[in-house]
Amino acid sequence: MLTGKVIVVIGGDARQLEIIRKLSTLDAKLSLVGFDQLDDGYIGASKQSIDDVKWNKVDAILLPVSGMNNEGEIETIFSNEKVTLTPEMFRQTPQHCTIFSGITNDTLNHYVKKAKRRLVKLMDRDDIAIYNSIPTAEGTIMMAIQHTDITIHSACVAVIGLGRVGMSVARTFDALGANVKVGANESHQLARITEMGLTPFHTDHLKEELADVDICINTVPELIITAKVLAEMPLHALIIDLASKPGGTDFRYAEKRGMKALLAPGLPGIVAPKTAGKILANVLSDLLQGD
């Protein structure tokens, strides 16, 4: 139980609702910032503006999966209020206060370091990333169907990266009958791709390997699908980039060449916010009860 814990939940999307529901059930005292348009009532939860929070009483701060931007602003879909965090807010919190965020950036890192507080990056956790790979794979299938005029069955599909997301995506497309090849740069990953019954290739050979694909799915968070690679790809090829912003594709050149390239980070929150929210809520409740 989280009886007596004061937790500030700031902004975010529909995933936050599952987190609020779970923490409310565990008897936490919740301050909801950026939720003034939310109708649902939760036991022990009160809506507040950012200026009304008593920071010196706060045990934990929950930021959305997207964290905050470089100006300290938090994305909110349940409010028109502009929510902005400052270093002073963090400094006013008790020393034991923990900040939870899906991802981070230089600004958030600076705020936390200046306040000497602990930051937990939820999307860096293996458990959350693996659970999230399930709705991510389903969302990728949805996008592939929506944006192509061919079946996934028998399509030539390339997945770049065999991380937690890449593995689930490759396996799902293979199960639907696609001809799947997977690019990686480590020998053990190439061996694993072979073990999975898929076709491995080294990412050093992207230009040659993507020359015949119908669908290319990137999970590598660095510029890997460059203009040189794009220039050799078929014009009809669909690129779905699942890497965090700005992705791993030269979107400017893809558009110039008339290719369809989609940046699609955060698919779990789009295609299955309830499931994605429950994944976060379960992990967060365990972390908070362990503090």
Side-chain angles (χ1 to χ4, degrees):
M1 298 297 287
L2 294 172
T3 305
K5 287 259 189 183
V6 178
I7 302 170
V8 180
V9 183
I10 307 177
D13 54 28
R15 286 173 284 189
Q16 299 292 78
L17 303 186
E18 293 301 321
I19 294 171
I20 293 167
R21 189 173 288 115
K22 177 83 171 184
L23 299 185
S24 175
T25 302
L26 291 172
D27 200 27
K29 184 177 180 181
L30 303 176
S31 294
L32 310 182
V33 177
F35 291 91
D36 50 271
Q37 295 174 0
L38 184 64
D39 293 330
D40 292 343
Y42 298 94
I43 298 170
S46 61
K47 299 173 187 175
Q48 291 184 309
S49 72
I50 194 78
D51 296 324
D52 292 333
V53 175
K54 293 181 173 61
W55 297 104
N56 62 335
K57 304 289 186 183
V58 174
D59 297 302
I61 299 170
L62 305 186
L63 303 183
V65 171
S66 58
M68 69 182 196
N69 67 18
N70 287 322
E71 285 70 49
E73 296 172 355
I74 306 289
E75 182 183 9
T76 62
I77 68 167
F78 297 106
S79 175
N80 293 323
E81 174 192 2
K82 187 176 179 180
V83 177
T84 305
L85 282 170
T86 66
E88 183 59 29
M89 293 172 181
F90 284 176
R91 282 200 298 269
Q92 289 178 28
T93 61
Q95 285 190 351
H96 68 268
C97 179
T98 302
I99 294 90
F100 296 88
S101 180
I103 59 176
T104 188
N105 58 19
D106 290 342
T107 302
L108 180 55
N109 289 338
H110 174 68
Y111 283 13
V112 172
K113 186 176 180 181
K114 204 168 183 180
K116 297 180 180 177
R117 299 294 180 263
R118 183 165 70 103
L119 173 65
V120 176
K121 294 171 282 188
L122 295 170
M123 291 300 138
D124 281 356
R125 292 179 57 91
D126 279 339
D127 49 3
I128 288 178
I130 292 169
Y131 285 132
N132 267 335
S133 72
I134 300 168
T136 297
E138 291 187 11
T140 307
I141 293 290
M142 176 191 75
M143 294 182 73
I145 292 171
Q146 287 176 336
H147 294 281
T148 60
D149 56 4
I150 60 173
T151 59
I152 291 173
H153 189 281
S154 298
C156 182
V157 177
V159 178
I160 305 173
L162 193 74
R164 299 161 299 193
V165 172
M167 186 176 291
S168 294
V169 169
R171 188 180 287 125
T172 303
F173 274 83
D174 177 60
L176 289 174
N179 298 312
V180 181
K181 53 185 172 181
V182 184
N185 60 5
E186 300 283 349
S187 60
H188 71 275
Q189 293 175 326
L190 296 169
R192 176 60 68 190
I193 295 163
T194 303
E195 182 275 329
M196 291 169 66
L198 309 177
T199 303
F201 68 89
H202 198 285
T203 48
D204 285 347
H205 304 138
L206 269 184
K207 191 163 66 170
E208 296 82 9
E209 294 291 344
L210 299 188
D212 62 347
V213 298
D214 299 306
I215 302 169
C216 176
I217 301 154
N218 177 56
T219 67
V220 177
E222 60 186 62
L223 184 58
I224 192 165
I225 306 179
T226 62
K228 286 183 179 180
V229 174
L230 289 164
E232 302 297 325
M233 291 178 67
L235 286 173
H236 75 270
L238 170 67
I239 299 166
I240 303 174
D241 201 319
L242 303 177
S244 54
K245 291 181 182 179
T249 304
D250 187 335
F251 290 98
R252 182 202 63 81
Y253 185 78
E255 182 179 8
K256 180 179 179 180
R257 204 169 169 245
M259 299 176 68
K260 190 174 288 185
L262 309 171
L263 180 61
L267 270 183
I270 297 170
V271 300
K274 191 176 186 70
T275 298
K278 284 183 176 179
I279 291 167
L280 290 167
N282 289 336
V283 172
L284 270 168
S285 60
D286 287 343
L287 291 172
L288 286 164
Q289 289 180 92
D291 282 350

